[in-house]
Structures are given as C-alpha cells and as structure tokens.
C-alpha cells in the first residue's frame, strides 16, 4: 500500500520537474524568451505552496486514496492540456493544474503511514518516501529529455499525461486508507442493528439481573435492596396481593 503511494509521489515529482528540461522547447513553441518561460516554474511553485493547507484538510476529511488519486488525475489533465496548448496563457493554466495535483500527493501519502505502520517506523518511511520521490526527478532529467528530443513536444507531454492517468487508476483501485477501510462501516451497522434488536433488551436485562445478584452477595442487605428496586412495580403489587390473601 505504501509502496504504491510512494510510486505515485515519484510520478508527481516527475510531472513537476518535466518542464525543467523543456524550457528551450517551450521558448520555441510559444515564441517567448527565457524570462517568460520561467513563469511556468514560478506559477507552479506558487500553486504548490498555496495548496498545502487545503490539501491537509482534504486529506483529513477524504483520506489518502481520494486525494492522491485526484491529484494524479489533475496532473494527467494538466499535462494533456500542456501537450495540446496553442498559446502561452493556456500552457500556464495547464501548469497550474499540474502544480495543484502535485501539491495533493506528498502530504496525503504521509497521512497514510500512521494507519498502516507502527510509530517507530514512520520517520524511516517518511525519509524513504522522499528518497523514492527523487527517482521521478531522475526520470524527467534523462528519459523524458531523450523522449522530448526524439518525439517532440506533444507526444512527450502526452506520454507524461498517460503516466499520471495510469497512476490515478491504480490509486483509486488499489489504495486503502487503513487496514479496516471498507470493513469498519459494515461492522458499525451490524453493531447498531444488534443494539436495536429486541433480543438486545432481553440480554441487557439479564446482565443487569446478574450484576444485581453479585452486588447482593457482596454487600448483603444493600444488594438485596438494590435488587428489590430493580423489580417491576406490577410484580411487587402481585406479591403484596398474595400476601394479603394469605
């Protein structure tokens, strides 16, 4: 479970850093200089920073599976839009989507760890997640750069979009937020149904009677008084009438 989320984070780092090796190609595609194409990176980083607090709240409310899967889907849409973008404005908006999806990944992956691992293992897994994420940067600096030179802008970023789409499908299909994810709600419903069943009231009465009996043995007369108070009023009246008849 953690390994799949770590791979999803590596994919997010790959999407984040893929534009770093494409700045020259972006300048040619959008007929802009280096100062303009640097806006892509700045906008993406600002989006990433602005999303941190909302992502933490979403991760607490929706869980890792939904947040990481949605982030991968956003990056898929963003990279696909970047591959097909005809102008600079649409390309920058596409990178905003990539930055938002990237921001939704790391925090949500770390949130998964306490549900699956002991507390003493979490610091190590935090570091391993960060280290594995850097494999995505390595993939963007070597294979993606080679693909960009061989296949061009549209096919390269289209392939990056496919990678994110596959990760979104895997996360939504395979990731669970905790070992009891999907089991606890059913158990809760069964428990509620058991409490509402008429037999539950009978069982509760039996347990109360046994407890009163134990109190009677332990406390002598005080327990007897407690047991007397637990008896139904109708039964007391019946006993009183029988004693009067005698």
């Amino acid at each position: 479970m953690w390994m799949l989320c770590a791979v999803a984070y590596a994919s997010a780092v790959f999407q984040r850093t893929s534009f770093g090796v494409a700045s020259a190609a972006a300048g040619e595609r959008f007929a802009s200089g280096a100062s303009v194409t640097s806006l892509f990176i700045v906008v993406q980083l600002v989006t990433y920073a602005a999303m941190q607090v909302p992502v933490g709240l979403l991760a607490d409310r929706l869980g890792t599976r939904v947040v990481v899967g949605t982030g991968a889907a956003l990056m898929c849409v963003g990279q696909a839009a970047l591959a097909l973008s005809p102008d600079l404005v649409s390309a920058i908006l596409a990178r905003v989507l990539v930055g938002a999806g990237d921001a939704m990944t790391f925090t949500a992956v770390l949130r998964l760890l306490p549900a699956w691992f002991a507390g003493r293992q979490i610091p190590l897994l935090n570091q391993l997640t960060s280290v594995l994420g850097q494999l995505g940067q390595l993939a963007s600096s070597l294979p993606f750069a080679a693909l960009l030179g061989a296949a061009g802008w549209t096919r390269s970023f289209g392939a990056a979009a496919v990678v994110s789409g596959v990760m979104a499908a895997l996360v939504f299909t395979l990731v669970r937020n905790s070992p009891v994810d999907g089991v606890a709600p059913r158990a809760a419903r069964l428990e509620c149904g058991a409490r509402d069943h008429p037999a539950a009231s009978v069982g509760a009465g039996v347990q109360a009677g046994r407890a009163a009996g134990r109190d009677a043995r332990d406390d002598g007369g005080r327990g007897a008084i407690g047991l007397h108070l637990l008896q139904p009023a109708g039964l007391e009246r019946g006993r009183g009438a029988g004693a009067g008849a005698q």
Side-chain angles (χ1 to χ4, degrees), residues 173-185:
T173 303
L174 300 178
V175 170
R176 291 186 296 160
N177 295 324
S178 67
V180 295
D181 189 16
V183 177

Side-chain angles (χ1 to χ4, degrees), residues 5-105:
C5 289
V7 172
Y9 175 59
S11 172
V13 174
F14 167 72
Q15 309 299 336
R16 179 201 309 165
T17 57
S18 60
F19 196 85
V21 299
S23 56
E28 295 177 1
R29 181 177 178 88
F30 303 114
S32 59
S35 60
V36 176
T37 53
S38 64
L39 284 175
F40 286 92
I41 299 175
V42 172
V43 166
Q44 182 176 340
L45 291 177
V46 169
T47 304
Y48 185 95
M51 287 286 293
Q52 291 306 301
V53 173
V55 165
L57 297 175
L58 287 173
D60 289 338
R61 183 175 182 82
L62 302 177
T64 296
R65 182 177 68 89
V66 172
V67 175
V68 174
T70 302
L74 283 176
M75 287 185 282
C76 174
V77 173
Q79 294 288 60
L82 184 63
L84 302 174
S85 57
D87 53 46
L88 187 64
V89 174
S90 61
I92 290 177
L93 292 177
R95 290 305 287 180
V96 169
L97 292 178
V98 174
D102 178 23
M104 298 177 74
T105 306

